[in-house]
Amino acid sequence: MNYIIFDMEFTVLQKNQYIADILEIGAIKINDEGGHLSNVDLFHSYVRPNNYKTITNQTTEFTGITQEQVNGAPTFNEVVTNFKRWLRDSPYYMCVWGPDDKQQLVRHCALHKVELEWIQNYNDIQLMFTRLQGGDTVSDMGSKRH
């Protein structure tokens, strides 16, 4: 079984009514063979913004992503095609820290007419960790940027 631990970075928006652009997808594939975990592979790609072509200073400050990094980046459809190819057909669990990544990924797939069948066995590790630590909600425990 493979575990896909991934993270995405988005444009920082002032108003929630807009869909933030996914600017970066990074993942590590970990295999569990006989109770032994091993790193199998890495995936990383910047994504060319679709809705907001210009990266704001606030986005760069929060994510570290610059305009130059996304100018020549592939489109969302190209990145998702490559990511799905990287996942391969073997069974996997998708793991993220928090609910935002799945919501944005599903929104982007719908917007770009990408099928959702590959988003499977999805696990919010932040929620699980919070519950294991005795918290009731995700707001009880969060990740901090340094």
Side-chain angles (χ1 to χ4, degrees), residues 97 125-138 140-142:
W97 185 265
I125 296 173
Q126 181 183 25
L127 181 59
M128 289 182 219
F129 183 80
T130 299
R131 288 182 178 158
L132 286 171
Q133 298 299 312
D136 291 330
T137 66
V138 173
D140 291 343
M141 181 117 16

Side-chain angles (χ1 to χ4, degrees), residues 31-141:
N31 184 266
D32 179 8
E33 210 171 295
H36 181 265
L37 298 176
S38 59
N39 294 342
V40 176
D41 201 3
L42 298 173
F43 178 90
H44 176 263
S45 182
Y46 291 108
V47 181
R48 185 177 336 135
N50 186 58
N51 297 318
Y52 306 95
K53 308 284 186 211
T54 303
I55 303 299
T56 64
N57 289 338
Q58 189 177 11
T59 296
T60 298
E61 287 173 19
F62 186 75
T63 66
I65 297 171
T66 65
Q67 188 70 47
E68 293 75 29
Q69 291 170 311
V70 297
N71 279 344
T75 64
F76 176 77
N77 286 54
E78 293 169 319
V79 173
V80 167
T81 297
N82 292 336
F83 190 57
K84 287 170 33 176
R85 190 177 303 127
W86 179 80
L87 290 170
R88 296 194 194 110
D89 293 330
S90 63
Y92 53 85
Y93 288 99
M94 299 179 84
C95 304
V96 297
W97 185 265
D100 295 340
D101 287 345
K102 183 176 185 182
Q103 293 168 357
Q104 289 292 350
L105 187 57
V106 168
R107 281 184 187 169
H108 270 70
C109 285
L111 180 69
H112 295 278
K113 298 179 179 20
V114 174
E115 295 293 325
L116 300 175
E117 82 287 346
W118 60 279
I119 303 174
Q120 57 183 315
N121 301 321
Y122 197 91
N123 300 276
D124 179 351
I125 296 173
Q126 181 183 25
L127 181 59
M128 289 182 219
F129 183 80
T130 299
R131 288 182 178 158
L132 286 171
Q133 298 299 312
D136 291 330
T137 66
V138 173
S139 62
D140 291 343
M141 181 117 16

Side-chain angles (χ1 to χ4, degrees), residues 1-5 28-32 37-40:
M1 176 64 67
N2 287 322
Y3 297 93
I4 308 302
I5 301 162
I28 183 169
K29 187 183 299 182
I30 297 174
N31 184 266
D32 179 8
L37 298 176
S38 59
N39 294 342
V40 176

